[in-house]
Amino acid sequence: PFIVLGLADCCLEELLVHRESISWSERLALLRGVVLGVHQIHLSRVVHRDIKTSNCLVFRVAKGFRTVLSDFGRSRDMSRPASSPSHSYFAGRGDFRFAPPECLWLQVNESEGVWQRIDVYGIGSVFFELATGQGLTGYALGSGPDIFDAVSRMPPAVRLAHYKSQLPELRARYEDAFEHFQALLPRSIAKLGGELIRQIGNPDPARRLPALSRRSGGPGLEWLLRRIDILSLTLKNAENENAKKPKTQRGMTNVGRR
């Protein structure tokens, strides 16, 4: 007996080394593939818990690239009881350059919604890396392992108080990251893209989902797929309009933007 697996061309992390040669329409298509994968597993009550560009496989297809979510070694089926407590999930495992702040401060529990928000943050970090080449946490906070090592020695009550006290500073540091990200986007989608990264990459997990999604409690990410589709259409329309202009005007509309 044997199992046949598809052979990927690379992972997204490797592809993004050459991101300057990849158009933003292609980058958004790559991001959509990641979101679609997370959407599908969330509908099956599975959480990935380790979303990053190195865990996103890229396949070359007729019209460009296709992204597939991979490496489910740290995932969990939420329809089944946990095999070990949450705190054991962190010890010696994972890449804290991409972990959301609540993981660095050990502020997680067995709630399905908690882990889904962590996956959404992972998508935000992938989005951030599409523009900057860096993970969101590493850019905003520096060394995630150093933060984790320092706070993991604190008693739980002290750690919780420390986490809450740090939230205002976290928001300020993340805002610097978001402004840098937005400055790298094409002008036509800078505002919409900035709004989206500020939501899904929010250091406060309670603010990562839209209000309608929070009320319904559903696991799907249709809302995020729609937002990416809107970005893609907005970008395409702007490119079409720009193509109709004389060459001298085209250059003027793209001053300061790639």
Side-chain angles (χ1 to χ4, degrees):
F2 58 91
I3 299 174
V4 178
L5 300 176
L7 178 62
D9 291 281
C10 62
C11 70
L12 188 53
E13 181 181 47
E14 295 169 322
L15 186 64
L16 291 183
V17 172
H18 312 285
R19 65 187 180 281
E20 295 300 332
S21 63
I22 305 171
S23 69
W24 263 102
S25 60
E26 291 173 320
R27 296 190 215 187
L28 291 174
L30 291 165
L31 178 65
R32 196 183 195 282
V34 177
V35 176
L36 184 59
V38 179
H39 171 61
Q40 290 172 337
I41 65 171
H42 281 191
L43 290 177
S44 298
R45 299 197 61 194
V46 173
V47 289
H48 190 279
R49 308 200 295 187
D50 195 20
I51 296 173
K52 54 188 178 183
T53 53
S54 60
N55 287 341
C56 301
L57 300 181
V58 178
F59 294 80
R60 189 180 297 276
V61 293
K63 295 184 179 180
F65 302 102
R66 179 170 62 95
T67 325
V68 175
L69 199 60
S70 70
D71 193 351
F72 285 77
R74 304 179 75 206
S75 63
R76 181 185 159 195
D77 183 349
M78 298 302 297
S79 66
R80 300 179 180 182
S83 58
S84 57
S86 293
H87 62 79
S88 65
Y89 160 82
F90 297 100
R93 293 190 281 174
D95 192 331
F96 291 120
R97 294 177 301 168
F98 306 96
E102 64 266 29
C103 287
L104 297 180
W105 269 266
L106 290 166
Q107 300 303 309
V108 297
N109 55 42
E110 298 304 325
S111 166
E112 186 170 0
V114 166
W115 292 115
Q116 288 172 354
R117 284 174 172 83
I118 287 171
D119 280 354
V120 169
Y121 180 93
I123 294 170
S125 184
V126 170
F127 191 21
F128 187 83
E129 197 167 345
L130 286 171
T132 67
Q134 301 180 62
L136 177 55
T137 304
Y139 186 95
L141 301 182
S143 177
D146 288 347
I147 295 174
F148 178 80
D149 289 343
V151 302
S152 61
R153 299 186 181 96
M154 300 176 181
V158 175
R159 187 164 57 243
L160 174 60
H162 185 264
Y163 173 67
K164 290 181 177 179
S165 70
Q166 291 296 305
L167 278 175
E169 182 180 348
L170 289 177
R171 294 189 185 102
R173 295 177 72 169
Y174 270 76
E175 181 56 31
D176 288 341
F178 298 150
E179 289 179 359
H180 174 63
F181 169 85
Q182 187 169 332
L184 295 175
L185 294 180
R187 182 173 301 173
S188 59
I189 61 170
K191 184 176 184 296
L192 291 175
E195 290 172 353
L196 182 57
I197 193 65
R198 284 176 172 85
Q199 180 175 353
I200 61 178
N202 201 302
D204 183 350
R207 301 185 181 187
R208 278 179 210 147
L209 303 181
L212 181 60
S213 178
R214 290 197 298 267
R215 288 197 298 269
S216 65
L221 294 178
E222 294 98 336
W223 62 272
L224 186 48
L225 289 168
R226 287 195 295 269
R227 296 277 291 275
I228 295 171
D229 288 342
I230 290 171
L231 282 173
S232 297
L233 288 171
T234 302
L235 180 63
K236 183 178 180 179
N237 289 338
E239 290 173 344
N240 289 340
E241 287 297 318
N242 194 39
K244 297 176 183 177
K245 296 178 180 179
K247 290 184 179 180
T248 54
Q249 293 184 24
R250 292 183 205 173
M252 294 175 62
T253 60
N254 289 314
V255 171
R257 300 284 179 183
R258 290 192 177 272

